[in-house]
Amino acid sequence: MTRQLQISAPTTTAISPARGEAAKTRGMKRAGQLDPQWAADCDKAIDELASHGVTFQAADLIRLELVGEPPHPNCWGPRFAAAVRRGMIRHATYGQSARATVHRSICHHWIGTAKARAGRAAA
């Protein structure tokens, strides 16, 4: 038999979406500073795949040898977030990661925007 936890009265918690977002922003900034050269190389790799208009994930950047391993796994998020802000990619779907190191966990899959594809056509 499975029993559920029953809470008799509302609890006061420290849940704060604003504080959570601020902590995320601070963490992403720190991750981006670990290796500025890797970050620049990753941005170029994302732009390259985005220009093809195909769905991709972080593992594809390594598989295609467009960028090496990051100094820390948390370095991926800020790079993809920056590409979204630059208008180069958008979220396409979720799927399993191709990276064995993360045990096929769920990850974002991205696709290049019209802006990214236009940059390829102009080149």
Side-chain angles (χ1 to χ4, degrees), residues 46-47 49-51 53-57 80-94 108-117:
I46 291 170
D47 291 353
L49 275 186
S51 73
V54 298
T55 302
F56 65 98
Q57 59 176 281
F80 282 98
V84 169
R85 285 192 304 274
R86 290 192 331 261
M88 299 302 286
I89 60 172
R90 66 174 177 77
H91 179 261
T93 188
Y94 293 99
H108 288 279
H109 290 206
W110 307 93
I111 191 162
T113 62
K115 177 180 177 180
R117 291 188 305 278

Side-chain angles (χ1 to χ4, degrees), residues 89-109:
I89 60 172
R90 66 174 177 77
H91 179 261
T93 188
Y94 293 99
Q96 288 184 314
S97 173
R99 295 175 55 85
T101 57
V102 295
H103 311 289
R104 309 262 310 144
S105 63
I106 299 301
C107 71
H108 288 279
H109 290 206

Side-chain angles (χ1 to χ4, degrees), residues 13-15 80-81:
T13 65
I15 296 173
F80 282 98

Side-chain angles (χ1 to χ4, degrees), residues 18-86:
R19 288 177 57 195
E21 188 63 30
K24 177 181 134 185
T25 300
R26 285 191 308 274
M28 290 176 74
K29 183 177 180 182
R30 279 193 311 270
Q33 295 169 345
L34 289 177
D35 185 343
Q37 184 59 57
W38 181 88
D41 292 345
C42 186
D43 290 349
K44 288 178 193 172
I46 291 170
D47 291 353
E48 173 63 28
L49 275 186
S51 73
H52 291 277
V54 298
T55 302
F56 65 98
Q57 59 176 281
D60 295 322
L61 302 176
I62 292 174
R63 180 180 55 80
L64 296 170
E65 299 180 352
L66 297 174
V67 70
E69 290 285 347
H72 189 279
N74 291 355
C75 291
W76 289 113
R79 303 313 344 131
F80 282 98
V84 169
R85 285 192 304 274
R86 290 192 331 261

